[in-house]
Amino acid sequence: MSTNPMDFCTSQLDGEVILRRNKKEKFEDPLTIHELMIETATKFPDLIALGTRKQNDWETVTYIEYYELCRKAAKSLLKLGLERFHGVGILGESCFEWFIINIASIFAGGISVAIYPKNSFQVCRFIAENSRANIFMVEDDWQLQKIFKVQSHLTHLKAIVQYKDKITKKSPNIYSWDEFIDLGVTISDEILDRSIDAQKPNQCCMLIYTMGTTGSPKAVMISHDNITWTVRAVLQSLPFTHPPDNPEILVSYLPLFLIPAQIFEVWLPISIAASVFIAEPEAMKVQESLLKILRQVRPTSFCGIPEVWQGLQEKLNTDQMASTILKRNIFIWAKKVGLRRSLNPDADAHVPVSFRVAKKLIFDKVRRNLGLDRCLQFLSSGAGLSREIQEFYLSFDIPLLQMYGLTECTGPHTVSTEKDLKLFSCGKAIMGSKSMVRRPDKEGIGEIYLWGRHLFMGYLNNEYKTKKTFDPKGWLHTGDMGILDEEGYLHITGRTEEIIITYQGEKIFPVPIEDMLKENIPIIHYAMIVGNQAKFLSALLTLKCEYDQDTGEPHSILTKEATKFCQKHNSKAVKVTDITNNQDPIIDAIIQKGINAINEKTDFESHKILKWKVLEKDFSVAGGELGPSMKMRRSHIIRLYQMTIAGFYI
């Protein structure tokens, strides 16, 4: 019996899909979110599930308390009138209440709708209307005011709950967290259980909105099975530990409106009964805040995005530069020993004495300084992890296990493990999924296609886009370009829209060049190569600078690391404006030297960077140059700096 390819997907919120089954899988039975959670709550009721900071101590809940809190909140949502397959918008930073609301929305038969906290009120209106949101959960008054501005347009909205801070002005159908959590006392267990029992693994339970460079956000429909299957597949590949012997201790700090963060900080921990300690929201912005919680919790596994790993790298470099000459020299020696050993682990039959000494003197101290001394695996999720960052950590005997995935495949698709590691690759497809490269060129580079039960259901209310995303056999085409080597390791080279076509029709992938720019010129924060249909390449460069902790806006003041770099080279620059418009010949010469080193690697004039400019402002999410996951929004940047780019080719 043949299956219609479109049975694998839908664009309707109440639609159901056929699961992509693989006969080789060890875990065929699909699960709902409730089944995933009740299994752990029943098996390990007294283990710590969540910890949140209260003044100078940690307040914790066990797995049975976690489960009961989610049920209690689900009853309150039903009391407020949440309808089946209608949205519950969650607008705010990650926190304890966020975890509860997210799961309770699903228990109650609604759709959890995670919203980027910095979205404008216009975008919030679109999401509310698109998801048919019955209820909005907002963090504070700032978020509440966004909903007030558009409330008259929201025909499905029944109530708003402000789950943090005191409500400044009481209005009808506006509830505090304490009021909300007690609302469902009149809803019986039987009513809630009927809602839970009606749910199927192949139905939607969550919407993740992805921001493109133009137009409205796309609503990625995620099913129960997408989440529960992905978690079990990842656990087949990555060696997370399990209770009762070795329960995992994890830190939650990544923004939970991103599906990879949810997989590793919400759903996977539930599956293995891990203890998750929730960081303050500023942990993503303020390095010291992240380091503080890492040192307090000392997680057993840690997942970072490239921006986080880069920030910790800068911290280590700053500490190194502030140390004595003797300590600095020991540091440099140890890094050389560590990198040599990491790049050639099989070169010596036994661990060299020099490596053991370096480990005791430096490597163990670095891990303690980062709060990662108990960490058994160091994961990196998201695009942009350069070879330079990976080699930096390898020099401290910290192998970053790179993963690849996207929202449309519920987060991870490939993972790397320490036992099955190919340096600088993104690893192999998780158990039960497959990768394929279509139309490879002579170097083996082609578009990456994915297959597995983690593939999303479709784009809500967008049948055309949904059908366009899948091929006739149900494979997802990603828009990413890469190589799948003979051993099954995936190597990403860039996205189709990133490819630069020279005036002679040659293809150039800008990301490796941009990584080399940042490696050769340590003061550079972001580099973007341009030159489509041109005779040569040009570069837009930003410098490492401080950021406003509240707004995320970049300042003109250089970071401490950047300032010390300038001082080391006899430059007096302390601000971006000291360097822009060719005001600092010393830094200009350093930048040009770094570019020359890259240009020497090619004989083609069209592949060389002949012009460049340091921009007056660093890229940021607040400025729109970066998306919520810190990726450059290239077409947006090109529009912003179209006059500058045009000036390169006059």
Side-chain angles (χ1 to χ4, degrees):
M1 178 176 152
S2 62
T3 303
N4 185 334
M6 292 316 296
D7 290 341
F8 289 124
C9 56
T10 180
S11 59
Q12 300 304 309
L13 209 46
D14 58 355
E16 298 179 16
V17 296
I18 290 177
L19 305 180
R20 294 167 175 80
R21 293 188 179 258
N22 188 327
K23 293 179 181 179
K24 295 180 181 178
E25 288 183 25
K26 297 178 182 178
F27 40 87
E28 274 292 304
D29 294 336
L31 295 177
T32 63
I33 292 298
H34 181 265
E35 288 170 330
L36 180 76
M37 189 168 190
I38 196 172
E39 183 181 345
T40 297
T42 304
K43 202 171 179 180
F44 303 106
D46 299 323
L47 288 185
I48 291 174
L50 297 178
T52 186
R53 195 77 177 165
K54 297 292 182 183
Q55 295 178 343
N56 296 321
D57 205 357
W58 288 97
E59 189 175 289
T60 61
V61 296
T62 63
Y63 266 96
I64 194 63
E65 291 169 334
Y66 189 12
Y67 173 72
E68 291 296 344
L69 265 173
C70 291
R71 284 185 65 93
K72 192 173 183 181
K75 290 180 180 180
S76 295
L77 291 171
L78 290 172
K79 181 69 174 179
L80 289 174
L82 176 62
E83 300 172 63
R84 185 79 169 105
F85 296 117
H86 280 249
V88 177
I90 313 174
L91 182 58
E93 302 286 356
S94 307
C95 62
F96 176 80
E97 293 83 358
W98 206 110
F99 279 73
I100 303 300
I101 297 160
N102 186 36
I103 298 171
S105 304
I106 299 170
F107 279 11
I111 304 294
S112 174
V113 184
I115 303 173
Y116 177 45
K118 289 188 170 60
N119 276 343
S120 66
F121 68 88
Q122 295 97 330
V123 174
C124 290
R125 174 185 170 180
F126 169 81
I127 292 174
E129 291 175 327
N130 187 247
S131 65
R132 301 184 301 173
N134 286 155
I135 297 156
F136 249 95
M137 313 291 293
V138 298
E139 180 180 13
D140 52 25
D141 187 66
W142 181 54
Q143 303 292 5
L144 180 63
Q145 296 308 316
K146 292 180 187 178
I147 308 307
F148 277 163
K149 285 181 181 179
V150 297
Q151 191 173 6
S152 60
H153 301 282
L154 307 182
T155 55
H156 296 284
L157 188 64
K158 298 180 179 181
I160 304 172
V161 177
Q162 183 178 312
Y163 58 86
K164 275 196 167 185
D165 299 341
K166 189 176 179 180
I167 298 173
T168 55
K169 186 179 179 182
K170 203 75 173 84
S171 304
N173 296 322
I174 308 292
Y175 302 88
S176 68
W177 177 257
D178 289 339
E179 291 170 334
F180 162 75
I181 206 70
D182 292 327
L183 272 176
V185 68
T186 59
I187 302 293
S188 67
D189 285 330
E190 289 74 21
I191 291 173
L192 176 57
D193 287 337
R194 279 201 296 271
S195 173
I196 290 170
D197 293 342
Q199 297 166 26
K200 299 177 183 177
N202 63 341
Q203 293 174 327
C204 184
C205 69
M206 181 181 296
L207 292 175
I208 302 290
Y209 283 83
T210 61
M211 283 295 293
T213 52
T214 58
S216 301
K218 291 180 300 197
V220 176
M221 298 168 61
I222 303 291
S223 72
H224 292 258
D225 186 69
N226 284 152
I227 294 170
T228 57
W229 182 89
T230 300
V231 164
R232 289 181 292 168
V234 168
L235 289 172
Q236 292 284 320
S237 300
L238 291 175
F240 283 92
T241 56
H242 302 256
D245 298 328
N246 297 298
E248 289 277 356
I249 299 172
L250 307 174
V251 167
S252 172
Y253 72 100
L254 293 170
L256 293 177
F257 60 86
L258 301 173
I259 190 64
Q262 283 209 41
I263 291 296
F264 286 98
E265 297 183 2
V266 179
W267 306 114
L268 188 147
I270 289 174
S271 184
I272 59 173
S275 299
V276 179
F277 292 85
I278 305 167
E280 293 296 322
E282 66 263 19
M284 268 296 290
K285 307 175 205 169
V286 184
Q287 199 178 87
E288 288 303 322
S289 178
L290 176 58
L291 282 170
K292 183 178 178 182
I293 189 170
L294 288 176
R295 290 165 181 163
Q296 288 173 348
V297 174
R298 297 170 61 220
T300 51
S301 293
F302 180 70
C303 182
I305 59 174
E307 275 288 310
V308 167
W309 288 117
Q310 183 180 344
L312 295 176
Q313 175 186 358
E314 290 171 3
K315 165 68 176 170
L316 290 173
N317 281 335
T318 301
D319 290 347
Q320 178 190 344
M321 287 188 285
S323 61
T324 63
I325 294 175
L326 176 61
K327 287 183 178 178
R328 207 178 309 158
N329 288 336
I330 295 172
F331 211 77
I332 293 168
W333 166 80
K335 284 176 66 179
K336 288 179 179 177
V337 169
L339 184 60
R340 184 169 61 246
R341 172 70 181 174
S342 296
L343 293 178
N344 301 284
D346 301 323
D348 300 297
H350 304 286
V351 178
V353 173
S354 58
F355 182 86
R356 295 200 297 270
V357 172
K359 183 177 185 301
K360 187 172 183 178
L361 289 178
I362 301 296
F363 304 159
D364 290 347
K365 289 181 180 179
V366 165
R367 290 196 184 198
R368 283 197 299 274
N369 187 35
L370 295 176
L372 300 176
D373 53 305
R374 292 198 301 192
C375 203
L376 299 178
Q377 54 184 346
F378 309 87
L379 305 171
S380 182
S381 172
L385 187 69
S386 68
R387 186 185 180 102
E388 181 248 338
I389 293 176
Q390 292 178 73
E391 287 188 346
F392 175 84
Y393 283 98
L394 283 172
S395 69
F396 292 109
D397 191 32
I398 297 177
L400 299 189
L401 305 177
Q402 197 170 1
M403 300 181 287
Y404 163 77
L406 48 154
T407 304
E408 285 82 352
C409 67
T410 323
H413 173 72
T414 65
V415 297
S416 302
T417 69
E418 231 179 317
K419 289 184 178 179
D420 191 9
L421 177 63
K422 191 166 195 176
L423 291 176
F424 316 117
S425 81
C426 296
K428 294 180 178 179
I430 56 176
M431 183 77 71
S433 66
K434 294 182 281 188
S435 312
M436 175 171 54
V437 171
R438 287 269 175 90
R439 297 176 292 278
D441 61 17
K442 60 183 180 181
E443 295 178 343
I445 300 173
E447 185 181 357
I448 298 163
Y449 280 61
L450 314 179
W451 193 93
R453 267 167 62 181
H454 56 338
L455 299 189
F456 77 127
M457 300 176 70
Y459 295 112
L460 177 60
N461 300 331
N462 196 334
E463 186 176 355
Y464 169 77
K465 184 70 176 175
T466 298
K467 287 181 177 179
K468 193 177 176 183
T469 303
F470 294 99
D471 81 349
K473 293 186 178 180
W475 285 73
L476 173 76
H477 59 89
T478 64
D480 288 322
M481 305 293 287
I483 298 169
L484 188 65
D485 67 27
E486 294 177 355
E487 298 171 277
Y489 294 96
L490 192 64
H491 306 258
I492 305 299
T493 55
R495 287 192 60 77
T496 51
E497 67 262 26
E498 293 173 353
I499 296 173
I500 294 171
I501 309 294
T502 70
Y503 81 111
Q504 292 181 329
E506 302 158 309
K507 291 182 181 178
I508 296 176
F509 291 93
V511 174
I513 303 173
E514 291 160 354
D515 287 343
M516 284 191 286
L517 278 169
K518 291 186 284 186
E519 183 179 353
N520 289 357
I521 314 160
I523 198 173
I524 298 297
H525 193 195
Y526 286 99
M528 183 171 141
I529 297 295
V530 297
N532 213 36
Q533 300 299 318
K535 293 185 177 181
F536 59 87
L537 302 179
S538 300
L540 299 173
L541 308 174
T542 75
L543 304 179
K544 293 176 180 175
C545 62
E546 302 289 349
Y547 280 75
D548 187 295
Q549 294 179 13
D550 296 320
T551 65
E553 284 280 352
H555 291 307
S556 180
I557 301 170
L558 297 173
T559 61
K560 291 179 182 177
E561 183 195 15
T563 302
K564 287 185 177 180
F565 177 86
C566 292
Q567 292 170 348
K568 181 181 175 182
H569 292 88
N570 299 316
S571 165
K572 296 180 180 179
V574 292
K575 296 181 180 179
V576 175
T577 48
D578 294 335
I579 296 171
T580 52
N581 298 318
N582 307 110
Q583 294 181 83
D584 192 323
I586 294 174
I587 300 300
D588 281 358
I590 291 170
I591 292 173
Q592 190 58 58
K593 183 180 178 182
I595 289 173
N596 290 344
I598 295 170
N599 288 341
E600 287 173 4
K601 296 180 180 180
T602 179
D603 295 326
F604 299 100
E605 200 70 14
S606 58
H607 291 212
K608 293 182 178 181
I609 305 167
L610 299 188
K611 293 191 179 181
W612 53 271
K613 184 175 177 65
V614 175
L615 303 179
E616 294 182 359
K617 194 177 80 163
D618 196 5
F619 296 159
S620 67
V621 175
E625 299 94 347
L626 305 178
S629 59
M630 309 306 289
K631 293 179 185 176
M632 286 193 294
R633 300 175 67 202
R634 292 177 185 267
S635 58
H636 181 72
I637 295 169
I638 287 170
R639 285 198 302 275
L640 279 178
Y641 294 100
Q642 57 184 326
M643 298 302 292
T644 300
I645 295 168
F648 291 145
Y649 299 101
I650 294 175

